[in-house]
Amino acid sequence: MPGGAPRNAKARVYGPADHPIRRTQLSPGALQVTTRLHEGGFQAFVVGGAVRDLLLGFEPKDFDIATNAHPEQVKPLFRRAFLIGRRFRLVHVHAGSETVEVSTFRAAQTGNDATDEHGRLLSDNVYGTQAEDAARRDFTINALYFDPAAEEVWDYVGGVADIRARRLRLIGAPTTRFREDPVRMLRAVRLAAKLDIAIDPKTAAPIGKLAPLMANVPPARLFDEMQKLLLSGHAVETLKSLRSHGLSHGLLPLLDVILEQPLGQRFIELALANTDQRVREDRPVSPGFMFATLLWHEALATWTAARNRGERPIPALFDAMDQVLERQAKQIAIPRRFEATIKEIWSLQPRFEQRAGQRPFRLLEHPRYRAAWDFLDLRCKSGELEGEQGELAQWWDRFANAGHAQREAMLKPDEAPKTKRRSRGRGRKQREAGEASEAAGVVPGDGVDDPPP
Ligand code: ATP
Ligand code: MG
């Protein structure tokens, strides 16, 4: 049994004098839900990430509640409560604008559970004791329970000691626990970076060897974890750490290759550093934009290869986008709504090269102009675009902020006659690019017809 916690193991209980958490630090919803459960005669604890974060001095994102009440017993205690999930049922309690997740103590694995051929658990068992619930969690510091009424922390797995030592340690035998659920490897690296604590050497040891098991994890789950990782405010460090643990292979195709090319590396690092800063300043970030940056150099390589084979730029770009996203879907399932954003941002890029006539004015009006410009700015700053093109982002910034007369003066002369003389077709291709993507209305996913010859 993971963690060696028997069914009726006793918790070590830390009273209010032995830990810093006070019930006033909980959200109103969490306090309300635990109080009501207590009044109903049940146990109710805050559990998991929130307890960990409070002990380490961070502000929790949300408060999950664990109880010995079964879902059917929880629901009638609240006016707005909903049963969620089919295999393992949870209750979502709506309290004001907050949704509090209430889960019933779950049984530990028995050793007879169904696993795939690599040891990955295929099913979750039913309800169990609190000791069992603790033992099936991933890290000791994620398995602490806070009782708001008594202001006590209950610890079955040595989590408080690990918090004090600032150590991330798996409950149970690391190899078994990683095999059961390879996502735990990703979580280890993510949580260590986010919390600025060390991975215990015994926990870290098998990661390199077991990294290939990540390939068996369903893509949708990987997406959720990757998104958490990338939006943690510590994406740059986390990705570096993933690479040093050999975990980045197969997560985002060619991430390693990209990061080894100076331009790709610079581009991604700039993008992630930007995102990290926004997260830390509590400004909104768009997952679509982030995935657009992570996959751009792959799209760019595919696109450039097609153009070099003589394909027309815009159809080639749309083909490249589809290919890259399709390959990516096999590893991390990027939800459709993000795919649309990614394609929009990418397909607007060639339009920044069109600086004559009415086109720049139309581009400014595009609802995704701002995101596309941010993206262009990264391409310039990373050195992907150079020479005159390297100044495109600046030009557009000035253009966007200029008055009407100034804008007219900034426009480039119509390129048609000039580019003909420049031969080699670059200007023609670019012009075509602008027309085609405009003609396409840059609707993501729309098949784009070749412009008439
Ligand atoms: P974050 O603050 O980033 O959300 P978290 O630890 O709260 O981190 P969640 O995904 O919200 O992460 O999970 C909540 C709790 O569920 C964890 O604290 C842990 O106890 C348990 N848990 C989550 N994922 C796993 C897993 N793969 N294996 C075992 N237990 C897990
Ligand atoms: Mg959480």
Side-chain angles (χ1 to χ4, degrees):
M1 185 180 302
R7 203 175 146 70
N8 295 312
K10 271 222 157 28
R12 172 142 183 207
V13 178
Y14 294 84
D18 301 322
H19 70 83
I21 308 179
R22 293 299 164 260
R23 73 173 78 84
T24 50
Q25 290 174 283
L26 307 188
S27 66
L31 203 53
Q32 201 182 312
V33 170
T34 49
T35 306
R36 184 69 54 84
L37 283 162
H38 285 152
E39 288 166 359
F42 300 105
Q43 290 180 297
F45 297 85
V46 177
V47 67
V51 182
R52 174 199 74 208
D53 288 352
L54 287 171
L55 287 172
L56 288 168
F58 294 101
E59 198 184 317
K61 275 199 318 254
D62 43 34
F63 293 85
D64 294 331
I65 308 301
T67 177
N68 60 349
H70 286 197
E72 311 73 51
Q73 298 173 302
V74 175
K75 193 176 178 318
L77 296 177
F78 301 94
R79 209 158 44 85
R80 291 191 298 151
F82 305 90
L83 289 173
I84 306 287
R86 232 184 291 154
R87 209 178 52 194
F88 187 84
R89 297 212 287 176
L90 308 167
V91 183
H92 276 183
V93 178
H94 293 209
S97 60
E98 216 184 324
T99 300
V100 180
E101 191 170 290
V102 182
S103 54
T104 306
F105 296 146
R106 222 187 287 193
Q109 284 92 42
T110 59
N112 302 323
D113 303 279
T115 62
D116 71 7
E117 72 269 32
H118 307 285
R120 187 167 72 83
L121 282 174
L122 296 175
S123 68
D124 272 322
N125 270 340
V126 278
Y127 312 124
T129 65
Q130 187 180 19
E132 289 174 304
D133 188 77
R136 66 155 195 92
R137 291 176 184 274
D138 47 6
F139 304 101
T140 62
I141 64 172
N142 278 349
L144 296 170
Y145 299 78
F146 175 68
D147 173 352
E151 292 190 326
E152 288 170 348
V153 172
W154 292 37
D155 181 6
Y156 293 88
V157 293
V160 171
D162 285 334
I163 291 265
R164 290 180 179 156
R166 303 185 65 79
R167 179 168 60 206
L168 190 71
R169 188 164 60 89
L170 266 177
I171 300 168
T175 302
T176 316
R177 301 303 315 281
F178 283 142
R179 282 187 180 279
E180 280 171 9
D181 182 4
V183 167
R184 290 172 185 153
M185 294 189 271
L186 205 52
R187 290 176 57 84
V189 172
R190 170 171 78 79
L191 290 171
K194 164 176 152 165
L195 304 167
D196 192 24
I197 62 178
I199 306 180
D200 182 64
K202 282 201 184 119
T203 294
I207 293 183
K209 202 182 78 209
L210 299 178
L213 296 181
M214 297 282 293
N216 307 314
V217 177
R221 264 202 85 199
L222 274 189
F223 177 83
D224 289 343
E225 275 296 328
M226 273 308 276
Q227 185 175 337
K228 276 195 173 188
L229 188 159
L230 294 167
L231 298 177
S232 66
H234 305 272
V236 175
E237 307 147 60
T238 314
L239 279 190
K240 282 189 178 151
S241 177
L242 280 181
R243 296 184 70 213
S244 70
H245 283 101
L247 280 174
S248 53
H249 304 284
L251 279 180
L252 294 155
L254 301 183
L255 186 57
D256 291 289
V257 180
I258 291 164
L259 289 174
E260 267 139 38
Q261 295 163 354
L263 281 188
Q265 166 154 13
R266 198 159 151 62
F267 181 79
I268 286 181
E269 284 189 358
L270 276 175
L272 294 176
N274 258 350
T275 307
D276 282 350
Q277 198 181 339
R278 291 181 74 97
V279 171
R280 290 178 199 195
E281 290 168 0
D282 260 341
R283 285 153 65 205
V285 292
S286 140
F289 184 88
M290 210 175 41
F291 281 99
T293 60
L294 287 171
L295 300 172
W296 171 244
H297 273 256
E298 201 191 350
L300 191 62
T302 312
W303 185 29
T304 309
R307 282 161 63 152
N308 290 344
R309 284 193 305 270
E311 289 177 32
R312 290 163 181 275
I314 291 305
L317 175 59
F318 277 78
D319 277 351
M321 298 194 304
D322 285 338
Q323 281 175 39
V324 168
L325 290 172
E326 202 176 300
R327 278 202 292 271
Q328 184 56 49
K330 296 192 182 108
Q331 273 127 351
I332 296 177
I334 297 177
R336 287 263 161 229
R337 63 183 187 285
F338 296 141
E339 273 195 17
T341 312
I342 297 171
K343 286 184 173 182
E344 254 180 333
I345 290 172
W346 287 351
S347 61
L348 283 170
Q349 295 306 307
R351 286 181 58 180
F352 284 108
E353 293 170 26
Q354 307 295 315
R355 290 182 286 165
Q358 283 308 301
R359 289 190 194 124
F361 295 94
R362 285 203 289 273
L363 181 51
L364 278 186
E365 298 305 315
H366 194 283
R368 289 270 181 225
Y369 171 80
R370 183 64 213 193
W373 182 87
D374 285 343
F375 197 87
L376 175 73
D377 193 39
L378 287 171
R379 295 175 64 207
C380 292
K381 289 200 172 118
S382 67
E384 179 209 318
L385 297 177
E386 40 188 359
E388 199 195 335
Q389 285 208 318
E391 273 142 43
L392 267 180
Q394 282 172 26
W395 186 92
W396 279 94
D397 191 39
R398 275 186 281 118
F399 187 73
N401 292 306
H404 191 75
Q406 235 177 321
R407 281 185 180 170
E408 292 287 346
M410 285 179 74
L411 291 177
K412 301 284 169 190
D414 216 324
E415 287 163 348
K418 206 161 115 211
T419 46
K420 237 178 211 156
R421 256 184 280 121
R422 257 209 260 137
S423 78
R424 273 289 135 95
R426 185 148 192 231
R428 184 183 57 82
K429 277 192 182 173
Q430 286 178 358
R431 205 165 60 250
E432 224 170 56
E435 277 156 12
S437 59
E438 251 179 18
V442 226
V443 176
D446 250 4
V448 179
D449 294 321
D450 280 13

